[in-house]
Amino acid sequence: MTPELMIKACTFYTGHLVKTHFCSWRDIAIPLTNEDDELAEKIERAMKYNNFRLQKYVFHLWHSYVKGQKKQLTDTLSQVQKMLHCYKLTAILTKWRDKARLKYKKREDELILKHELQLLKWRNNLKLKVAANEESIFPEPSLSKVSLEGNIPECDISLLPQRAVSQIFFYLSLKDKIICSHVCHSWMLMTQASSLWNGIDFSTVKNIITDKYIVSTLQRWRLNVLRLNFRGCILRLKTLRSVSLCRNLQELNVSDCPTLTDESMRYISEGCPGVLYLNLSNTIITNRTMRLLPRHFHNLQNLSLAYCKKFTDKGLRYLNLGDGCHKLIYLDLSGCTQISVQGFRNIANSCTGIMHLTINDMPTLTDNCIKALVERCPRITSIVFIGAPHISDCAFKALSTCNLRKIRFEGNKRITDACFKFIDKNYPNISHIYMADCKRLTDSSLKSLSPLKQLTVLNLANCIRIGDMGVKQFLDGPVSIRIRELNLSNCIHLGDASIMKLSECCPNLNYLSLRNCEHLTDLAIEYVVNIFSLVSVDLSGTNISNEGLMTLSRHKKLKELSLSECYKITDVGIQITDSAMEMLSAKCHYLHILDISGCVLLTDQMLEDLQIGCKQLRILKMQYCRLISMEAAKRMSSIVQQQEYNPGDPPLWFGYDYEGKPLTDNMRSPKNVEWTVTESTHSSQEEVV
């Protein structure tokens, strides 16, 4: 090692050592001088952050306050706008009400004036007719009249065409035909037309006609008779055997005939093989007759065995003998409690084409009976089970294989909403549903019925758990377009909202029953008037008052109205006098039925007006009309077909005395008078099932 290298090494080592110690000193000395600055900087940043948080907190409070004030201002402004809107609406409705009342009063005055003019014209015409009649009774002699004497044409019915004569005599009963045949020789010939004896109804004269006449009649018209009715007739075996002479017989009704036996049915079945309709209800036939049916009545389509207690399940098995009763379409087994599940299985094996089934008053009918029947009868379209308390939802499930169109149940407590759960899928073509007095049905049932597009008749009377919500859901569906008959009697939870929905959604509704829907008020009547297609309405037991009755009078097509037990309707609402009846006679020329019971202010003049103006009146009820004399009532009874007359005082529960003055509250009974004026009768769809 040289000295130069030694010096360089020492110099490097000394420099490195100095550098190392200097850096260590610097690291120790310098930070001590900078800690105060860093601390001051941190304190400053902390103060800034604290000030920021404080500002943020204060701003948040201010923002919440401003937002609340703004919302309060908006709510206040909205309330002011609503109040202003309500005030405007009130002003508009007030003006509209005043104008409507003025217009209504004007129209009412015009209508009254029009009625008075019509009444005056009717009175003038009546006077002219009376004057003409007096002139005809006491004519003045004149040459022209003398010359025309003896040339007055006479009306001879025998001069009419044979077709017209037959049409006239077709509407006569058997008794009337017999009477007409004794008038004269020409009338006797007219009553002997063969077409008039296609159908003979002996049940209407069962108490006066003899077996001898029945036998002679059947022998004479044996080739023409197509329909025979012996309902309730007590006939001898010889008389029943004469039915076998009618080889072309198609319809035979021997129901309620206590003398009908298996022997007489043997003669009838052998002689009348073409029978299509056979009614054996409430007779004493046994299994022997059941054996005859498939052997001889090969074309039988309609069979009624209602309340026949003597045949058994074995007799039903006979229906499959020979060609069987496979063409049978309608079967009535009402009251046949002796039939078991096996009996229904026998029916299913024998009569696979049944479409209409009626089983009423059958407490022994169970779900298993229905299951056994529908296994082989898939063509059933209508069922009637009244008085079958053991039928449940399971029966509906079994019937889902059939294309049902009409269902009728009454008084069943086991059927629930579940039976209607899939009704739109199982029975899309159903048109009639009668489920009266089924207490377990609720609003859910109505909701399930809403998709049905073919439903026209719905009867849910006494289904007390149905309310406004159910009716709304029901009418929201397509069913509301075709519904024609709706019965919601005793559905006590229904209110005015349901009637409003009906007026909006049911343009084809004809018959409406809201009996004992006690929550209905006069407001509902406003909506009833808007159902223009309505012809019959039952509002008995509701809270309708005189104002509602006045509103209802605006309906143009209403023909039948029932208002019994409407306690808010007073004498003012239903007062009737001779003047009102005179107006009725002048305008309602086609009146068929009139009930004026309890109208204590009517006199004999009213009957004279009815005789002149209402010539088609058939039924007249005059209970508690004490001002109408007995003589006038007797004269009127010879004009109408049916009359009820009682000149006594009205009962206390009418609410007024014989002079029409209201009674005190302690003398009244909680009933009211039912006042009905009907222009024409109508048949409900319930009778079609």
Side-chain angles (χ1 to χ4, degrees):
M1 175 183 269
T2 60
E4 292 82 5
L5 291 173
M6 190 64 157
I7 293 170
K8 286 183 180 181
C10 291
T11 303
F12 176 79
Y13 176 75
T14 304
H16 178 71
L17 188 61
V18 171
K19 184 178 179 180
T20 301
H21 288 287
F22 177 78
C23 290
S24 299
W25 173 81
R26 186 187 62 184
D27 293 339
I28 295 172
I30 292 177
L32 293 176
T33 60
N34 294 335
E35 283 182 358
D36 296 337
D37 297 337
E38 290 180 0
L39 182 60
E41 185 179 355
K42 288 182 179 180
I43 292 174
E44 185 179 358
R45 283 187 301 193
M47 292 178 65
K48 287 182 179 180
Y49 178 72
N50 187 41
N51 291 336
F52 174 75
R53 288 190 62 186
L54 183 61
Q55 290 176 359
K56 185 177 180 181
Y57 175 72
V58 174
F59 178 77
H60 180 71
L61 292 178
W62 174 83
H63 177 72
S64 300
Y65 173 77
V66 172
K67 188 177 180 180
Q69 291 294 321
K70 186 176 180 181
K71 184 179 180 182
Q72 185 177 0
L73 181 62
T74 304
D75 294 341
T76 304
L77 183 61
S78 177
Q79 290 179 0
V80 172
Q81 289 178 347
K82 287 182 179 179
M83 291 174 63
L84 181 61
H85 183 66
C86 291
Y87 175 76
K88 289 182 178 179
L89 287 178
T90 303
I92 293 172
L93 288 175
T94 302
K95 291 183 180 179
W96 172 83
R97 182 188 62 187
D98 296 339
K99 289 184 179 179
R101 285 180 176 177
L102 182 62
K103 186 176 180 180
Y104 177 76
K105 189 175 183 305
K106 182 179 179 181
R107 184 177 62 181
E108 195 175 41
D109 294 340
E110 292 177 353
L111 186 63
I112 292 175
L113 180 61
K114 181 180 178 181
H115 287 173
E116 289 178 352
L117 293 175
Q118 291 179 349
L119 186 59
L120 182 62
K121 183 178 179 181
W122 183 71
R123 287 175 177 172
N124 293 334
N125 293 336
L126 185 60
K127 290 180 180 178
L128 292 176
K129 288 182 181 179
V130 172
N133 291 334
E134 291 178 353
E135 290 181 0
S136 62
I137 296 174
F138 304 103
E140 295 182 1
S142 65
L143 233 14
S144 59
K145 290 183 179 179
V146 172
S147 62
L148 292 176
E149 277 187 6
N151 295 329
I152 301 176
E154 295 181 357
C155 179
D156 189 356
I157 192 174
S158 62
L159 300 178
L160 295 175
Q162 181 62 33
R163 183 177 178 184
V165 173
S166 300
Q167 192 68 19
I168 293 173
F169 282 92
F170 177 78
Y171 293 99
L172 298 181
S173 63
L174 177 62
K175 180 180 179 181
D176 294 333
K177 291 177 185 176
I178 297 173
I179 294 174
C180 290
S181 64
H182 291 82
V183 173
C184 60
H185 182 71
S186 61
W187 279 47
M188 183 190 69
L189 295 177
M190 286 186 286
T191 58
Q192 303 305 313
S194 58
S195 60
L196 297 178
W197 298 92
N198 289 338
I200 305 177
D201 187 0
F202 290 107
S203 64
T204 58
V205 291
K206 60 184 178 182
N207 296 325
I208 58 176
I209 201 166
T210 61
D211 288 55
K212 182 178 179 181
Y213 179 81
I214 294 176
V215 173
S216 62
T217 302
L218 294 179
Q219 288 178 345
R220 181 173 185 179
W221 303 107
R222 59 185 181 277
L223 299 179
N224 303 100
V225 174
L226 301 177
R227 300 177 298 277
L228 281 178
N229 186 356
F230 290 104
R231 180 182 178 89
C233 296
I234 303 176
L235 305 174
R236 294 182 299 177
L237 177 61
K238 181 180 179 181
T239 306
L240 291 171
R241 287 179 60 179
S242 63
V243 176
S244 61
L245 300 174
C246 306
R247 307 289 297 181
N248 298 321
L249 188 65
Q250 296 180 1
E251 298 181 11
L252 176 62
N253 186 348
V254 287
S255 60
D256 299 319
C257 292
T259 56
L260 182 72
T261 61
D262 296 329
E263 184 69 15
S264 55
M265 278 303 302
R266 183 175 67 83
Y267 289 109
I268 294 174
S269 61
E270 292 175 353
C272 308
V275 171
L276 303 177
Y277 170 91
L278 180 60
N279 191 340
L280 300 173
S281 60
N282 199 20
T283 57
I284 57 174
I285 60 158
T286 66
N287 292 342
R288 292 178 59 191
T289 297
M290 302 298 289
R291 187 191 293 267
L292 297 172
L293 297 180
R295 289 184 176 179
H296 300 283
F297 298 134
H298 305 301
N299 299 317
L300 188 62
Q301 297 180 1
N302 192 310
L303 175 62
S304 177
L305 299 172
Y307 306 101
C308 295
K309 304 286 188 177
K310 299 294 184 178
F311 70 90
T312 63
D313 294 342
K314 184 178 180 181
L316 294 174
R317 190 174 62 186
Y318 291 151
L319 296 178
N320 202 23
L321 296 176
D323 294 335
C325 296
H326 299 297
K327 294 184 180 181
L328 197 65
I329 297 176
Y330 175 89
L331 179 61
D332 189 350
L333 297 174
S334 300
C336 298
T337 55
Q338 74 275 15
I339 303 177
S340 65
V341 177
Q342 183 60 41
F344 283 96
R345 193 172 288 112
N346 294 338
I347 295 174
N349 295 330
S350 308
C351 312
T352 57
I354 292 178
M355 298 178 64
H356 309 285
L357 183 63
T358 301
I359 309 178
N360 299 329
D361 298 330
M362 194 82 159
T364 58
L365 187 67
T366 62
D367 296 336
N368 293 330
C369 298
I370 305 302
K371 292 178 182 179
L373 187 64
V374 299
E375 285 178 358
R376 301 288 301 275
C377 300
R379 298 177 59 189
I380 296 177
T381 58
S382 70
I383 56 173
V384 181
F385 297 151
I386 300 176
H390 298 294
I391 295 295
S392 67
D393 298 335
C394 296
F396 274 88
K397 186 177 180 180
L399 288 166
S400 60
T401 58
C402 305
N403 186 19
L404 288 183
R405 297 188 179 182
K406 296 180 181 179
I407 299 176
R408 182 166 184 173
F409 282 78
E410 286 187 16
N412 192 298
K413 297 181 180 180
R414 300 187 65 189
I415 294 177
T416 65
D417 297 331
C419 68
F420 291 142
K421 190 173 183 180
F422 303 105
I423 192 169
D424 58 325
K425 297 179 182 179
N426 296 334
Y427 320 118
N429 298 320
I430 195 166
S431 59
H432 294 63
I433 296 179
Y434 306 88
M435 303 293 286
D437 200 19
C438 296
K439 307 293 186 182
R440 299 183 66 181
L441 297 183
T442 66
D443 291 341
S444 299
S445 296
L446 283 175
K447 183 179 180 181
S448 302
L449 296 177
S450 62
L452 299 176
K453 298 181 180 180
Q454 305 297 326
L455 187 63
T456 58
V457 178
L458 177 62
N459 187 336
L460 295 177
N462 297 324
C463 297
I464 58 176
R465 301 178 68 181
I466 291 176
D468 291 336
M469 182 57 66
V471 174
K472 180 182 181 301
Q473 294 173 342
F474 172 71
L475 297 177
D476 283 338
V479 67
S480 60
I481 303 299
R482 294 179 61 88
I483 195 74
R484 290 189 291 106
E485 182 176 336
L486 183 61
N487 190 339
L488 298 174
S489 300
N490 294 315
C491 296
I492 57 177
H493 297 296
L494 293 183
D496 296 340
S498 297
I499 314 305
M500 179 181 68
K501 194 67 176 178
L502 283 173
S503 65
E504 295 174 354
C505 304
C506 300
N508 298 313
L509 188 63
N510 299 137
Y511 308 103
L512 177 63
S513 178
L514 300 170
R515 194 179 189 92
N516 295 329
C517 295
E518 54 191 22
H519 294 297
L520 298 183
T521 64
D522 290 338
L523 180 60
I525 306 304
E526 294 283 350
Y527 301 122
V528 170
V529 173
N530 294 330
I531 308 177
F532 302 112
S533 59
L534 206 61
V535 297
S536 174
V537 61
D538 188 350
L539 297 172
S540 303
T542 60
N543 287 324
I544 180 176
S545 65
N546 293 338
E547 295 181 1
L549 191 60
M550 185 178 297
T551 302
L552 198 60
S553 64
R554 301 203 306 262
H555 201 289
K556 303 299 182 183
K557 294 185 178 180
L558 200 62
K559 295 183 178 180
E560 185 170 337
L561 172 65
S562 181
L563 297 170
S564 63
E565 300 183 18
C566 293
Y567 305 126
K568 292 188 177 181
I569 296 180
T570 63
D571 298 339
V572 177
I574 60 171
Q575 191 171 11
I576 298 177
T577 60
D578 287 342
S579 300
M581 295 307 298
E582 185 181 18
M583 179 67 69
L584 182 71
S585 303
K587 294 178 71 73
C588 301
H589 301 298
Y590 301 98
L591 195 66
H592 290 174
I593 304 173
L594 179 61
D595 188 350
I596 51 174
S597 300
C599 299
V600 296
L601 302 180
L602 297 180
T603 65
D604 295 348
Q605 180 62 40
M606 178 272 303
L607 296 181
E608 296 180 5
D609 296 333
L610 287 178
Q611 293 178 23
I612 298 172
C614 303
K615 296 185 180 298
Q616 297 192 20
L617 189 64
R618 300 173 183 173
I619 300 176
L620 178 61
K621 298 180 180 180
M622 302 181 295
Q623 300 286 348
Y624 315 118
C625 298
R626 65 191 311 270
L627 296 182
I628 297 178
S629 64
M630 182 68 72
E631 292 75 13
K634 287 183 178 179
R635 290 195 299 269
M636 195 66 187
S637 63
S638 62
I639 299 175
V640 297
Q641 297 178 3
Q642 179 182 343
Q643 177 175 297
E644 296 179 8
Y645 171 67
N646 182 3
D649 295 339
L652 296 178
W653 52 267
F654 268 40
Y656 51 87
D657 59 11
Y658 65 93
E659 295 180 350
K661 297 179 180 180
L663 301 175
T664 57
D665 293 337
N666 58 352
M667 298 180 64
R668 294 189 183 188
S669 176
K671 288 186 178 181
N672 202 351
V673 63
E674 179 174 352
W675 178 80
T676 306
V677 177
T678 306
E679 284 196 10
S680 64
T681 58
H682 68 274
S683 61
S684 173
Q685 293 292 335
E686 292 188 16
E687 300 175 358
V688 180
V689 178

